[in-house]
Amino acid sequence: PEDVTQLPDIFIYLIREGHKKCICFKRIKPYLDDSSSLIGFDQKAEWCIMQEDRAVNALKDEVFPGNLLIKLGFGLSEDFVRHSDAWMRILSSAKETSSFQVRVHIYQCRHIPSAEMNGLCDPILSVNFMGTRKSTAVEKDTLFPCYYSTFVFDNCDLHVAENFAYASQVVVRLFDRKVGGKHL
């Protein structure tokens, strides 16, 4: 089309096996935000934050819908031919892993929002990495929790291609313990 902004958006859905309802999704425009040109075949892979489908509400409030590492390209078939070797090299190198130890140092928070009637909260911080969740102790009645904790994840097989661009993400979340795990 002459105006690429008229192309439909791409939706990526996560659906539980055996079910028809969408758990979460990502909506992606096929063109660059700052112009009216298509996302070409030379774009780098990007981590996208999935969004829960609120109409289905399949996730508990404290569950993060996840991230998706994706590389999209749009254009004419002949344009892809020029980039196909690079795509195959990236795909091949993205599968290579090395074993690492990952350390996450958590120090303190400031000015977190209150979650309780007394104007304070009982914050607890969780760190998720490669399917493992570790949490701090609960700090009671404060908006300025001090954790000074280190979480160690041993023997992590990380994808090292393109300066760890394909490695799993560390997800840090802050909750109030008393208010049913309410996000802060």
Side-chain angles (χ1 to χ4, degrees):
E2 196 170 300
D3 182 5
V4 296
T5 62
Q6 297 302 308
L7 287 171
D9 292 350
I10 293 92
F11 284 84
I12 300 169
Y13 296 101
L14 174 63
I15 300 171
R16 240 183 223 121
E17 188 174 356
H19 294 74
K20 294 181 181 179
K21 293 183 178 176
C22 166
I23 297 170
C24 56
F25 69 95
K26 178 63 183 171
R27 181 178 188 166
I28 301 171
K29 295 186 181 309
Y31 55 89
L32 300 171
D33 285 333
D34 60 345
S35 71
S36 58
S37 59
L38 284 173
I39 294 174
F41 297 111
D42 56 350
Q43 297 296 310
K44 293 186 178 233
E46 289 184 20
W47 283 102
C48 298
I49 298 173
M50 302 294 283
Q51 295 177 310
E52 179 181 9
D53 189 332
R54 292 184 182 163
V56 175
N57 198 23
L59 300 175
K60 294 179 182 176
D61 288 343
E62 70 275 4
V63 175
F64 180 67
N67 296 315
L68 171 68
L69 178 63
I70 190 166
K71 178 180 171 73
L72 290 175
F74 299 94
L76 301 172
S77 298
E78 50 267 19
D79 292 338
F80 178 71
V81 171
R82 289 195 316 265
H83 294 90
S84 63
D85 287 342
W87 276 59
M88 295 311 292
R89 263 192 322 275
I90 290 169
L91 182 60
S92 176
S93 68
K95 294 177 182 178
E96 297 172 11
T97 63
S98 292
S99 187
F100 289 88
Q101 180 186 74
V102 175
R103 292 172 171 257
V104 179
H105 303 287
I106 303 295
Y107 299 109
Q108 57 183 296
C109 302
R110 293 182 183 164
H111 306 290
I112 61 175
S114 65
E116 299 173 15
M117 297 299 286
N118 66 2
L120 299 171
C121 66
D122 295 334
I124 182 170
L125 194 135
S126 74
V127 179
N128 295 300
F129 182 65
M130 295 184 69
T132 301
R133 180 179 177 175
K134 299 183 179 191
S135 298
T136 63
V138 175
E139 292 284 320
K140 295 203 181 275
D141 297 324
T142 183
L143 301 179
F144 298 84
C146 295
Y147 296 108
Y148 297 101
S149 300
T150 298
F151 297 109
V152 178
F153 299 88
D154 283 316
N155 302 316
C156 301
D157 290 330
L158 300 180
H159 300 277
V160 296
E162 293 195 29
N163 226 1
F164 295 99
Y166 306 125
S168 296
Q169 290 186 321
V170 175
V171 178
V172 178
R173 300 180 79 189
L174 187 63
F175 299 95
D176 182 86
R177 182 51 114 194
K178 282 185 187 171
V179 189
K182 178 183 174 186
H183 253 122
L184 298 174

PDB file of all heavy atoms in Angstrom, residues 1-9 27 29-39:
ATOM      1  N   PRO A   1       0.825  -1.202   0.000  1.00  0.00           N
ATOM      2  CA  PRO A   1       0.000   0.000   0.000  1.00  0.00           C
ATOM      3  C   PRO A   1       0.862   1.257   0.000  1.00  0.00           C
ATOM      4  O   PRO A   1       1.989   1.239   0.463  1.00  0.00           O
ATOM      5  CB  PRO A   1      -0.802  -0.113   1.284  1.00  0.00           C
ATOM      6  CG  PRO A   1      -0.035  -1.035   2.157  1.00  0.00           C
ATOM      7  CD  PRO A   1       0.733  -1.925   1.239  1.00  0.00           C
ATOM      8  N   GLU A   2       0.280   2.299  -0.476  1.00  0.00           N
ATOM      9  CA  GLU A   2       0.988   3.573  -0.532  1.00  0.00           C
ATOM     10  C   GLU A   2       1.220   4.141   0.864  1.00  0.00           C
ATOM     11  O   GLU A   2       2.267   4.694   1.155  1.00  0.00           O
ATOM     12  CB  GLU A   2       0.183   4.547  -1.386  1.00  0.00           C
ATOM     13  CG  GLU A   2       0.982   5.742  -1.831  1.00  0.00           C
ATOM     14  CD  GLU A   2       0.215   6.538  -2.858  1.00  0.00           C
ATOM     15  OE1 GLU A   2      -0.104   5.977  -3.916  1.00  0.00           O
ATOM     16  OE2 GLU A   2      -0.057   7.724  -2.577  1.00  0.00           O
ATOM     17  N   ASP A   3       0.228   3.996   1.747  1.00  0.00           N
ATOM     18  CA  ASP A   3       0.325   4.482   3.125  1.00  0.00           C
ATOM     19  C   ASP A   3       0.444   3.273   4.063  1.00  0.00           C
ATOM     20  O   ASP A   3      -0.539   2.587   4.342  1.00  0.00           O
ATOM     21  CB  ASP A   3      -0.913   5.305   3.469  1.00  0.00           C
ATOM     22  CG  ASP A   3      -0.869   5.880   4.881  1.00  0.00           C
ATOM     23  OD1 ASP A   3       0.170   5.711   5.570  1.00  0.00           O
ATOM     24  OD2 ASP A   3      -1.867   6.474   5.309  1.00  0.00           O
ATOM     25  N   VAL A   4       1.670   3.000   4.546  1.00  0.00           N
ATOM     26  CA  VAL A   4       1.889   1.792   5.363  1.00  0.00           C
ATOM     27  C   VAL A   4       1.174   1.853   6.708  1.00  0.00           C
ATOM     28  O   VAL A   4       0.955   0.819   7.340  1.00  0.00           O
ATOM     29  CB  VAL A   4       3.399   1.517   5.589  1.00  0.00           C
ATOM     30  CG1 VAL A   4       4.085   1.219   4.279  1.00  0.00           C
ATOM     31  CG2 VAL A   4       4.071   2.646   6.333  1.00  0.00           C
ATOM     32  N   THR A   5       0.766   3.059   7.126  1.00  0.00           N
ATOM     33  CA  THR A   5       0.030   3.142   8.393  1.00  0.00           C
ATOM     34  C   THR A   5      -1.357   2.527   8.282  1.00  0.00           C
ATOM     35  O   THR A   5      -2.033   2.327   9.280  1.00  0.00           O
ATOM     36  CB  THR A   5      -0.082   4.601   8.887  1.00  0.00           C
ATOM     37  OG1 THR A   5      -0.822   5.363   7.930  1.00  0.00           O
ATOM     38  CG2 THR A   5       1.293   5.208   9.104  1.00  0.00           C
ATOM     39  N   GLN A   6      -1.776   2.204   7.072  1.00  0.00           N
ATOM     40  CA  GLN A   6      -3.066   1.559   6.858  1.00  0.00           C
ATOM     41  C   GLN A   6      -2.974   0.035   6.979  1.00  0.00           C
ATOM     42  O   GLN A   6      -3.993  -0.654   6.949  1.00  0.00           O
ATOM     43  CB  GLN A   6      -3.638   1.938   5.487  1.00  0.00           C
ATOM     44  CG  GLN A   6      -3.916   3.411   5.343  1.00  0.00           C
ATOM     45  CD  GLN A   6      -4.877   3.918   6.407  1.00  0.00           C
ATOM     46  OE1 GLN A   6      -5.951   3.364   6.608  1.00  0.00           O
ATOM     47  NE2 GLN A   6      -4.481   4.965   7.116  1.00  0.00           N
ATOM     48  N   LEU A   7      -1.762  -0.495   7.111  1.00  0.00           N
ATOM     49  CA  LEU A   7      -1.604  -1.936   7.310  1.00  0.00           C
ATOM     50  C   LEU A   7      -2.128  -2.317   8.689  1.00  0.00           C
ATOM     51  O   LEU A   7      -1.963  -1.567   9.657  1.00  0.00           O
ATOM     52  CB  LEU A   7      -0.131  -2.342   7.204  1.00  0.00           C
ATOM     53  CG  LEU A   7       0.469  -2.321   5.814  1.00  0.00           C
ATOM     54  CD1 LEU A   7       1.977  -2.519   5.890  1.00  0.00           C
ATOM     55  CD2 LEU A   7      -0.158  -3.405   4.956  1.00  0.00           C
ATOM     56  N   PRO A   8      -2.751  -3.482   8.820  1.00  0.00           N
ATOM     57  CA  PRO A   8      -3.260  -3.887  10.137  1.00  0.00           C
ATOM     58  C   PRO A   8      -2.125  -4.232  11.099  1.00  0.00           C
ATOM     59  O   PRO A   8      -1.051  -4.660  10.685  1.00  0.00           O
ATOM     60  CB  PRO A   8      -4.117  -5.114   9.821  1.00  0.00           C
ATOM     61  CG  PRO A   8      -3.572  -5.646   8.539  1.00  0.00           C
ATOM     62  CD  PRO A   8      -3.035  -4.459   7.785  1.00  0.00           C
ATOM     63  N   ASP A   9      -2.389  -4.030  12.389  1.00  0.00           N
ATOM     64  CA  ASP A   9      -1.420  -4.395  13.417  1.00  0.00           C
ATOM     65  C   ASP A   9      -1.321  -5.922  13.513  1.00  0.00           C
ATOM     66  O   ASP A   9      -2.242  -6.647  13.130  1.00  0.00           O
ATOM     67  CB  ASP A   9      -1.839  -3.837  14.780  1.00  0.00           C
ATOM     68  CG  ASP A   9      -1.753  -2.318  14.829  1.00  0.00           C
ATOM     69  OD1 ASP A   9      -1.206  -1.720  13.887  1.00  0.00           O
ATOM     70  OD2 ASP A   9      -2.218  -1.748  15.821  1.00  0.00           O
ATOM     71  N   ARG A  27       0.506  -6.469  20.870  1.00  0.00           N
ATOM     72  CA  ARG A  27       0.075  -5.807  19.643  1.00  0.00           C
ATOM     73  C   ARG A  27       1.261  -5.048  19.082  1.00  0.00           C
ATOM     74  O   ARG A  27       1.880  -4.238  19.783  1.00  0.00           O
ATOM     75  CB  ARG A  27      -1.072  -4.855  19.955  1.00  0.00           C
ATOM     76  CG  ARG A  27      -1.620  -4.142  18.766  1.00  0.00           C
ATOM     77  CD  ARG A  27      -2.776  -3.261  19.182  1.00  0.00           C
ATOM     78  NE  ARG A  27      -3.420  -2.708  18.003  1.00  0.00           N
ATOM     79  CZ  ARG A  27      -4.601  -2.132  18.026  1.00  0.00           C
ATOM     80  NH1 ARG A  27      -5.264  -2.011  19.161  1.00  0.00           N
ATOM     81  NH2 ARG A  27      -5.118  -1.649  16.917  1.00  0.00           N
ATOM     82  N   LYS A  29       2.796  -2.803  15.697  1.00  0.00           N
ATOM     83  CA  LYS A  29       2.540  -2.114  14.435  1.00  0.00           C
ATOM     84  C   LYS A  29       3.602  -2.552  13.420  1.00  0.00           C
ATOM     85  O   LYS A  29       4.761  -2.703  13.772  1.00  0.00           O
ATOM     86  CB  LYS A  29       2.615  -0.607  14.631  1.00  0.00           C
ATOM     87  CG  LYS A  29       1.529  -0.059  15.534  1.00  0.00           C
ATOM     88  CD  LYS A  29       1.565   1.453  15.571  1.00  0.00           C
ATOM     89  CE  LYS A  29       0.518   2.030  16.475  1.00  0.00           C
ATOM     90  NZ  LYS A  29      -0.813   1.562  16.275  1.00  0.00           N
ATOM     91  N   PRO A  30       3.232  -2.724  12.155  1.00  0.00           N
ATOM     92  CA  PRO A  30       4.205  -3.169  11.150  1.00  0.00           C
ATOM     93  C   PRO A  30       5.075  -2.052  10.586  1.00  0.00           C
ATOM     94  O   PRO A  30       5.849  -2.271   9.674  1.00  0.00           O
ATOM     95  CB  PRO A  30       3.306  -3.772  10.059  1.00  0.00           C
ATOM     96  CG  PRO A  30       2.040  -3.012  10.168  1.00  0.00           C
ATOM     97  CD  PRO A  30       1.878  -2.689  11.635  1.00  0.00           C
ATOM     98  N   TYR A  31       4.952  -0.868  11.141  1.00  0.00           N
ATOM     99  CA  TYR A  31       5.747   0.259  10.659  1.00  0.00           C
ATOM    100  C   TYR A  31       6.415   0.954  11.839  1.00  0.00           C
ATOM    101  O   TYR A  31       6.010   0.805  12.984  1.00  0.00           O
ATOM    102  CB  TYR A  31       4.886   1.249   9.862  1.00  0.00           C
ATOM    103  CG  TYR A  31       3.682   1.756  10.609  1.00  0.00           C
ATOM    104  CD1 TYR A  31       3.764   2.882  11.411  1.00  0.00           C
ATOM    105  CD2 TYR A  31       2.462   1.108  10.521  1.00  0.00           C
ATOM    106  CE1 TYR A  31       2.676   3.356  12.115  1.00  0.00           C
ATOM    107  CE2 TYR A  31       1.355   1.567  11.215  1.00  0.00           C
ATOM    108  CZ  TYR A  31       1.471   2.688  12.012  1.00  0.00           C
ATOM    109  OH  TYR A  31       0.384   3.139  12.711  1.00  0.00           O
ATOM    110  N   LEU A  32       7.443   1.702  11.552  1.00  0.00           N
ATOM    111  CA  LEU A  32       8.191   2.424  12.575  1.00  0.00           C
ATOM    112  C   LEU A  32       7.359   3.587  13.101  1.00  0.00           C
ATOM    113  O   LEU A  32       6.666   4.259  12.331  1.00  0.00           O
ATOM    114  CB  LEU A  32       9.513   2.938  12.007  1.00  0.00           C
ATOM    115  CG  LEU A  32      10.455   1.845  11.478  1.00  0.00           C
ATOM    116  CD1 LEU A  32      11.628   2.466  10.746  1.00  0.00           C
ATOM    117  CD2 LEU A  32      10.930   0.968  12.608  1.00  0.00           C
ATOM    118  N   ASP A  33       7.411   3.814  14.408  1.00  0.00           N
ATOM    119  CA  ASP A  33       6.599   4.867  15.026  1.00  0.00           C
ATOM    120  C   ASP A  33       6.929   6.262  14.524  1.00  0.00           C
ATOM    121  O   ASP A  33       6.054   7.095  14.370  1.00  0.00           O
ATOM    122  CB  ASP A  33       6.764   4.843  16.550  1.00  0.00           C
ATOM    123  CG  ASP A  33       6.018   3.685  17.179  1.00  0.00           C
ATOM    124  OD1 ASP A  33       5.019   3.223  16.597  1.00  0.00           O
ATOM    125  OD2 ASP A  33       6.448   3.242  18.249  1.00  0.00           O
ATOM    126  N   ASP A  34       8.202   6.502  14.277  1.00  0.00           N
ATOM    127  CA  ASP A  34       8.621   7.857  13.933  1.00  0.00           C
ATOM    128  C   ASP A  34       8.528   8.171  12.436  1.00  0.00           C
ATOM    129  O   ASP A  34       8.923   9.229  11.994  1.00  0.00           O
ATOM    130  CB  ASP A  34      10.033   8.118  14.444  1.00  0.00           C
ATOM    131  CG  ASP A  34      11.047   7.152  13.846  1.00  0.00           C
ATOM    132  OD1 ASP A  34      10.637   6.125  13.277  1.00  0.00           O
ATOM    133  OD2 ASP A  34      12.249   7.431  13.958  1.00  0.00           O
ATOM    134  N   SER A  35       8.022   7.231  11.648  1.00  0.00           N
ATOM    135  CA  SER A  35       7.910   7.490  10.214  1.00  0.00           C
ATOM    136  C   SER A  35       6.804   6.621   9.633  1.00  0.00           C
ATOM    137  O   SER A  35       6.140   5.884  10.333  1.00  0.00           O
ATOM    138  CB  SER A  35       9.235   7.181   9.516  1.00  0.00           C
ATOM    139  OG  SER A  35       9.451   5.785   9.486  1.00  0.00           O
ATOM    140  N   SER A  36       6.649   6.709   8.369  1.00  0.00           N
ATOM    141  CA  SER A  36       5.645   5.882   7.716  1.00  0.00           C
ATOM    142  C   SER A  36       6.323   4.804   6.873  1.00  0.00           C
ATOM    143  O   SER A  36       5.838   4.430   5.825  1.00  0.00           O
ATOM    144  CB  SER A  36       4.718   6.749   6.857  1.00  0.00           C
ATOM    145  OG  SER A  36       5.474   7.447   5.897  1.00  0.00           O
ATOM    146  N   SER A  37       7.469   4.299   7.341  1.00  0.00           N
ATOM    147  CA  SER A  37       8.144   3.218   6.624  1.00  0.00           C
ATOM    148  C   SER A  37       7.984   1.920   7.404  1.00  0.00           C
ATOM    149  O   SER A  37       7.889   1.903   8.629  1.00  0.00           O
ATOM    150  CB  SER A  37       9.619   3.556   6.407  1.00  0.00           C
ATOM    151  OG  SER A  37      10.261   3.764   7.630  1.00  0.00           O
ATOM    152  N   LEU A  38       7.954   0.835   6.674  1.00  0.00           N
ATOM    153  CA  LEU A  38       7.782  -0.483   7.279  1.00  0.00           C
ATOM    154  C   LEU A  38       8.957  -0.850   8.161  1.00  0.00           C
ATOM    155  O   LEU A  38      10.086  -0.390   7.950  1.00  0.00           O
ATOM    156  CB  LEU A  38       7.668  -1.553   6.179  1.00  0.00           C
ATOM    157  CG  LEU A  38       6.351  -1.645   5.443  1.00  0.00           C
ATOM    158  CD1 LEU A  38       6.477  -2.621   4.281  1.00  0.00           C
ATOM    159  CD2 LEU A  38       5.244  -2.079   6.373  1.00  0.00           C
ATOM    160  N   ILE A  39       8.684  -1.703   9.147  1.00  0.00           N
ATOM    161  CA  ILE A  39       9.775  -2.314   9.920  1.00  0.00           C
ATOM    162  C   ILE A  39      10.489  -3.221   8.936  1.00  0.00           C
ATOM    163  O   ILE A  39       9.909  -4.174   8.420  1.00  0.00           O
ATOM    164  CB  ILE A  39       9.222  -3.123  11.102  1.00  0.00           C
ATOM    165  CG1 ILE A  39       8.557  -2.201  12.107  1.00  0.00           C
ATOM    166  CG2 ILE A  39      10.318  -3.950  11.746  1.00  0.00           C
ATOM    167  CD1 ILE A  39       7.857  -2.911  13.243  1.00  0.00           C
TER     168      ILE A  39
END
